[in-house]
Amino acid sequence: MPKESLTITDNRTGKQYELPVSNGAIRAMDLRQIKSGPDDFGLLAYDPGFFNTAACNSKITYIDGDKGILEYRGYPIEQLAERSTFLEVAWLLINGELPNKKQLDAWVTDVTMHTMVHENIKKFLEGFRYDAHPMGILAGTVSALSTFYPDAADIFNSRSREIQICRLIAKMPTLSAMSYRHSVGMPYALPDNQLSYTENFLNMLWKVTEVTYKPNPILAKALDMLFILHADHEQNCSTTAMRCVGSSQVDPFSAVAAAAVALHGPLHGGANEAVLKMLAQIGSKENVPAFIKEVKSGKDLLMGFGHRVYKNYDPRATIIKRMAEQVFDVTGRNPLLDIALELERIALQDDYFVSRKLYPNVDFYSGLIYQAMGFPPSMFTVLFAIPRTAGWVAQWLELLEDKEQKIARPRQIYLGPKRRDYVPAERRA
Ligand code: CMC
């Protein structure tokens, strides 16, 4: 039986150390004993971008990036996308198991009953400029919710956590719709409790003067499926922000605001907005080879391609690509689709992309669907943030219940100047 340990020889001192290996990892703190002398702090692991550092144990989401596998709590994403609903998946992520019928009904009712926001949120929204980015508005208003619910600071009270989680899942669509309507100068639409989660979101976005808004069931179902696909993705940038900020024991509204801000970046959730800009800039299929050449020369990135974890087709992209046809049957075909298909075709034959294992990720096709549904690109990241809130809060709960977790505080390798004395301005060279 091989030993579950690692033997390290420090060639600076000739000393040997045996470090236990558990679940395929050594503990970084075990490196601290490896010192070259009495003044040595101990060996650190240097890992910018956390390429090879596990910061937690988790039982929520499993990804095999080489095989293109994604599972929530063990359930394959393909099965959940086809057979579940977003609210059921949110429950699964948060509680660890699929709900029974009674639990599901109660959860759906609870979320439906918490969709309203305090009237003062409207006044708060008035302060944003007419052209404010909806993600900025969303992050600002979700953070402001912590001031409306001071009980949210009681994070070690499990009942309080349940209430805040329900509020977050319920109110994110409301805040998102309000941020959109603010940016187009439309009055805010009230939630409609007769509708499903995504139907109600469409109602709050698009309702004009009709007494009851009737969402298109195919579009509502497609959005629900997109929400399932975006609900969690283990330790990505925004989830890491959620865990880092949450580790300071701040309330969950503030931590979700931090995660939302991290999601906004073009290398993360902002990528689908960037994909649409890229496709519009390319303009036609004929211009694709020239654009690919630019990418290969390092002048541009092929947005919506590549992933830190997936070194194969992103399974979410496969599902979204298939779904696109159903949506386009209702909305009409997005003319940018042909450019996207041509980009994918050429890239997947090109050694630059093949050798680097760069495949379409979740953002490559999602923007095309959102645009065909009538969303402006500035709303795309908002559409990511709503379902990802389920993942963020599930990861936050796991963090709080993990006895090993401490406030996040990485080390650094200081390479700056050695101690030196202050010189008054007139005597400086
Ligand atoms: N276009 C062209 N070259 C790329 C791309 C791309 N989209 N992505 C990676 N590369 C190249 C990169 O230049 C590097 O080449 P070299 O080895 O010659 O220096 C190599 O591939 C490895 O890339 P990396 O930047 O070291 O990989 P990473 O794991 O740090 O980056 C990524 C992952 C997603 C940030 C990156 O692939 C990227 O910038 N993609 C475009 C933005 C995007 O689509 N983001 C959405 C990610 S999925 C949704 C989400 O998680 O939010």
Side-chain angles (χ1 to χ4, degrees), residues 12-65:
R12 300 170 302 176
T13 58
K15 276 197 192 163
Q16 275 205 342
Y17 302 84
E18 188 175 343
L19 311 188
V21 174
S22 173
N23 296 318
I26 58 160
R27 288 192 168 253
M29 274 304 283
D30 284 346
L31 297 173
R32 191 71 77 74
Q33 61 186 302
I34 304 177
K35 297 180 180 202
S36 58
D39 292 338
D40 188 349
F41 178 77
L43 207 62
L44 290 173
Y46 176 60
D47 189 12
F50 308 121
F51 265 77
N52 201 40
T53 295
C56 61
N57 292 312
S58 182
K59 295 180 178 167
I60 302 174
T61 292
Y62 172 75
I63 301 176
D64 183 327

Side-chain angles (χ1 to χ4, degrees), residues 51 233 236 263 266-271 275 295 300-309 311 314 316 352-353 356 358 361-363 384:
F51 265 77
H233 213 234
N236 53 79
L263 185 72
L267 294 189
H268 190 10
V275 169
V295 170
D300 255 313
L301 278 178
L302 176 46
M303 299 310 288
F305 257 66
H307 200 275
R308 174 65 58 83
V309 182
K311 300 300 164 199
D314 179 338
R316 301 168 300 172
Y352 175 92
F353 298 92
R356 289 171 177 77
L358 301 172
N361 59 48
V362 69
D363 290 317
F384 197 153

Side-chain angles (χ1 to χ4, degrees), residues 12 27 52 70 87 101 109 183 209 236 284 309-310 328 337 378 382 418:
R12 300 170 302 176
R27 288 192 168 253
N52 201 40
L70 169 61
L87 281 186
K101 177 81 177 71
T109 305
S183 67
T209 54
N236 53 79
S284 79
V309 182
Y310 292 119
F328 294 159
L337 178 66
S378 58
V382 172
K418 292 260 185 289

Side-chain angles (χ1 to χ4, degrees), residues 305 313 321 340-348 360 364-365:
F305 257 66
Y313 217 96
K321 195 176 168 188
L341 288 170
E342 183 67 357
L343 265 176
E344 180 186 331
R345 190 185 68 79
I346 297 189
L348 294 187
F364 194 63
Y365 288 105

